[in-house]
Every structure is written in C-alpha cells, then in structure tokens.
Amino acid sequence: MLDQLINALNASSLYLKSEKVTTIKHIEDEFKFTLPQELKKLLSTFDSSIIFNNGAKIIPLQKSPYTNSDGYLPLEIIYGLEDSDNNLIIKNHMYEEVNKRGFFIFGESSGGDQLCIHKENMKVYCWDHESNEGNNEFFEVSTNFDDFLSNLEPDNTNMAQKEIDSDNSFLDF
C-alpha cells in the first residue's frame, strides 16, 4: 500500500540535502508513544519531511473550518527526522500543549493546522491551531493512521510542482 501511495501522490523528501538527526525510537521514548507501523515505514523511506508533488487531500470524518467546498482537507507535509524546523520532535515541542493533552503531531494541513494522532484511541485528528482550548479545536479525520493513508488522494487542484529553493524550502512566498 505504501508504495502505491508514494507513487500516486508523487511523494518526495522536502529537503534536497538533509541528515537524519533523530530516530523513531528516540521519538517514541521522548513522547511515550508507539508510532503506527505505516508511519514508521514512511519515515524510514525518506531522508526528510515528506511533501506531495501531486498534492494530497482526504475527506475527513468530521468537517473542520478549513475543509474545502468539496469536503476535502489538504495534507501539506508529513514531518520527518531531519535537522530542520519540520522535525517531529521540534513540532511536538512547539505545540507542547497539544501533546500534553494526549496527541502526537505528525503533519500539517493548510493554514498551519496540525494533523495528529490521539495516543489512546489512535484516531487521526486535525487540530485547528487558531481555536480556543476546548472550543471545537479537534476534528476527526480518520479512525487510525492506516485508514488515513489509504484514503489520501491526489489533489488535482494543486498539480503545480512544488519546487525546492536554495534554502531547502518549498514555500513560494
């Protein structure tokens, strides 16, 4: 399944040059959470955070304020193990309050909303980073990470190739 997903979404490493600075075991030990097997495989496949050159989107189980008019939620990036601001450890420390509430952040949707896995029920959620605590800030996306991956689709509205610039960034502003 993972190979088909990588091909369909044209997944690639965010950074042209990167060095892994952490391990999956270190992440699991630090956050007291066993990552889903498919996430481990995905992280082991790439040298850095993962972007989707064909775009990536999913119809979430629960709509968020950022679900588009067709009912899809975009996936911008899956954070990686590299030495960058997109490192899984850095992102989970950056949003420490979310982690303390039982969620592990693994990626980002549009507008900076974070995709996370609930550590107990293993469901995938989108966290609306602009909402107030306790005020409809988590929206269920999938029943688990495997379901999340298997329901990702190419985003044909976002077919422009993301180019990595000299600063190792795919952002175009």
Side-chain angles (χ1 to χ4, degrees), residues 106-159:
F106 70 87
E108 184 173 321
S109 182
S110 60
D113 291 329
Q114 302 299 302
L115 293 165
C116 47
I117 301 167
H118 192 278
K119 293 180 184 181
E120 289 181 19
N121 66 23
M122 300 303 286
K123 291 180 179 182
V124 174
Y125 290 87
C126 181
W127 173 59
D128 177 0
H129 75 291
E130 293 179 352
S131 68
N132 295 326
E133 188 172 331
N135 186 21
N136 293 329
E137 60 187 309
F138 291 96
F139 300 89
E140 189 176 346
V141 176
S142 291
T143 56
N144 57 51
F145 192 77
D146 289 354
D147 186 57
F148 174 79
L149 286 181
S150 66
N151 285 300
L152 282 173
E153 301 175 29
D155 187 351
N156 296 325
T157 62
N158 189 22
M159 290 302 288

Side-chain angles (χ1 to χ4, degrees), residues 9 22 36 62 66 85 101 104 122 140 143 145-146 162:
L9 302 178
T22 192
Q62 185 180 16
Y66 304 104
D85 291 342
R101 292 167 62 199
F104 178 82
M122 300 303 286
E140 189 176 346
T143 56
F145 192 77
D146 289 354
K162 293 180 173 114

